[in-house]
Amino acid sequence: MTLDVGDKAPDFDLPTDGGGSVKLSDLKGKPVVIYFYPKDMTPGCTTESCEFRDAEPDFSAVNAQIIGISKDSADRHDKFKAKHDLNFILASDENSTTCEDYGTWTEKSMYGKKFMGIERSTFVIDGDGVIRNVWRKVKVKNHVAEVLAAVKAL
């Protein structure tokens, strides 16, 4: 499935760091930034998460909620969050359902081997649950600034 700008964002209810859970429909009325990333504790994912951490006050200033989603367990998210002092929700999609719903669970290739994995992607969802921006195959450098500008433009 491929989602695009103007589509209704699929709802989800996922376990999070800290033993909690997050349901997209519970965040109605506020902008939501969902970024899908391959794996906790890896260089690119750590850089991206730390950039969202550093910009979180700017997102909060416009009432936006940041949610990072990967297939890592909620326990692993706890470790990742503590190690890097992350200040937003990390949700666990261990069975890939939400990744599939958002079209981020894709075939990848490394050193000639094909495998399934998360395509680094970001979605900005408005307060009505409609997708307003989509970035796929995200390059980490300057990405968070682009996302913040998109949220501020809502």
Side-chain angles (χ1 to χ4, degrees):
M1 177 175 192
T2 300
L3 295 174
D4 223 332
V5 172
D7 290 343
K8 185 81 172 161
D11 198 11
F12 55 80
D13 188 352
L14 294 172
T16 66
D17 61 274
S21 66
V22 63
K23 188 171 185 178
L24 180 62
S25 56
D26 288 346
L27 300 171
K28 190 172 173 99
K30 68 188 319 187
V32 178
V33 173
I34 302 172
Y35 76 99
F36 290 86
Y37 65 98
K39 193 161 183 58
D40 291 344
M41 309 288 187
T42 58
C45 298
T46 299
T47 298
E48 182 178 28
S49 296
C50 289
E51 287 185 10
F52 273 112
R53 174 201 65 206
D54 295 346
E56 196 281 332
D58 297 321
F59 284 97
S60 286
V62 291
N63 198 32
Q65 175 66 59
I66 301 167
I67 302 171
I69 299 177
S70 78
K71 286 180 54 76
D72 292 299
S73 69
D75 288 342
R76 185 163 170 93
H77 282 337
D78 283 333
K79 292 176 182 123
F80 186 48
K81 193 167 181 171
K83 182 173 183 176
H84 297 288
D85 199 26
L86 302 179
N87 50 4
F88 52 85
I89 297 167
L90 294 180
S92 175
D93 186 26
E94 288 187 270
N95 64 11
S96 308
T97 303
T98 301
C99 292
E100 289 174 20
D101 289 347
Y102 280 78
T104 63
W105 186 244
T106 63
E107 185 176 83
K108 298 169 102 179
S109 179
M110 186 183 296
Y111 305 117
K113 291 190 179 210
K114 295 195 181 298
F115 60 96
M116 295 300 290
I118 294 176
E119 177 182 80
R120 192 181 307 277
S121 304
T122 304
F123 296 80
V124 171
I125 301 164
D126 69 15
D128 295 321
V130 176
I131 297 170
R132 294 296 172 202
N133 301 85
V134 178
W135 292 265
R136 298 202 180 267
K137 298 183 180 177
V138 167
K139 301 293 182 222
V140 174
K141 188 171 175 65
N142 299 320
H143 176 62
V144 172
E146 288 178 32
V147 175
L148 180 60
V151 171
K152 286 180 174 180
L154 290 178

